[in-house]
């Protein structure tokens, strides 16, 4: 199982970026997949996730600005980020959950290496 993120970079406030997470060793459409981020000096937090049935959920701070999607043929997860703010500066990670997204027992059993997003004002 391997997850490889890409697409990070530096943008100005209000800009957009799309992150990719290429998966191998399993099928992302059969799993709950999530995006997380960790700001410098901060703790890792959940950004959102997409379940096997396509249901998506987002943390309040990114609702309406970020969109999670997947390309089943490419076995790749995406995070489209619009109207970026300096507070979005962080290293972004994708992860695979062990069970359905809404299952309280679900944890993460695979992580990517992260990709850095920097938003300047």
């Amino acid at each position: 199982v391997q997850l490889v993120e890409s697409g990070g970079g530096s943008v100005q406030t209000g800009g957009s970026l799309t992150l990719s997470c290429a998966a191998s060793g399993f099928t992302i459409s059969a799993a709950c997949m999530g995006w997380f981020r960790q700001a410098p000096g901060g703790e890792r937090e959940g950004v959102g996730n997409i379940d096997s049935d396509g249901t998506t959920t987002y943390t309040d701070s990114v609702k309406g600005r970020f969109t999670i999607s997947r390309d089943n043929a490419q076995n790749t997860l995406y995070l489209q980020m619009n109207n970026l703010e300096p507070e979005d500066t962080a290293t972004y990670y994708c992860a695979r959950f062990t069970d359905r997204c809404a299952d309280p027992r679900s944890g993460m059993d695979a992580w990517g290496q992260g990709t850095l997003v920097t938003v300047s004002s």
Side-chain angles (χ1 to χ4, degrees):
V1 172
Q2 188 175 25
L3 298 170
V4 179
E5 299 99 335
S6 61
S10 297
V11 296
Q12 293 188 325
T13 297
S16 298
L17 280 175
T18 299
L19 307 183
S20 300
C21 171
S24 58
F26 72 103
T27 302
I28 63 169
S29 62
C32 169
M33 298 294 299
W35 284 99
F36 295 79
R37 66 185 180 185
Q38 186 167 16
E43 295 185 355
R44 191 170 297 188
E45 64 172 352
V47 173
N49 54 55
I50 182 168
D51 214 336
S52 54
D53 63 0
T55 301
T56 54
T57 59
Y58 303 92
T59 193
D60 286 346
S61 62
V62 307
K63 283 181 181 177
R65 300 189 298 123
F66 290 11
T67 302
I68 296 173
S69 63
R70 65 188 181 211
D71 183 328
N72 295 339
Q74 297 295 322
N75 210 32
T76 299
L77 181 72
Y78 298 99
L79 179 64
Q80 171 69 43
M81 306 184 294
N82 297 325
N83 195 20
L84 283 161
E85 305 167 350
E87 293 73 23
D88 297 315
T89 294
T91 298
Y92 284 73
Y93 302 86
C94 62
R96 183 182 72 171
F97 283 75
T98 56
D99 296 281
R100 297 291 300 271
C101 292
D103 191 329
R105 302 167 298 178
S106 194
M108 288 69 72
D109 65 354
W111 291 88
Q113 83 289 351
T115 186
L116 178 63
V117 172
T118 303
V119 185
S120 58
S121 57

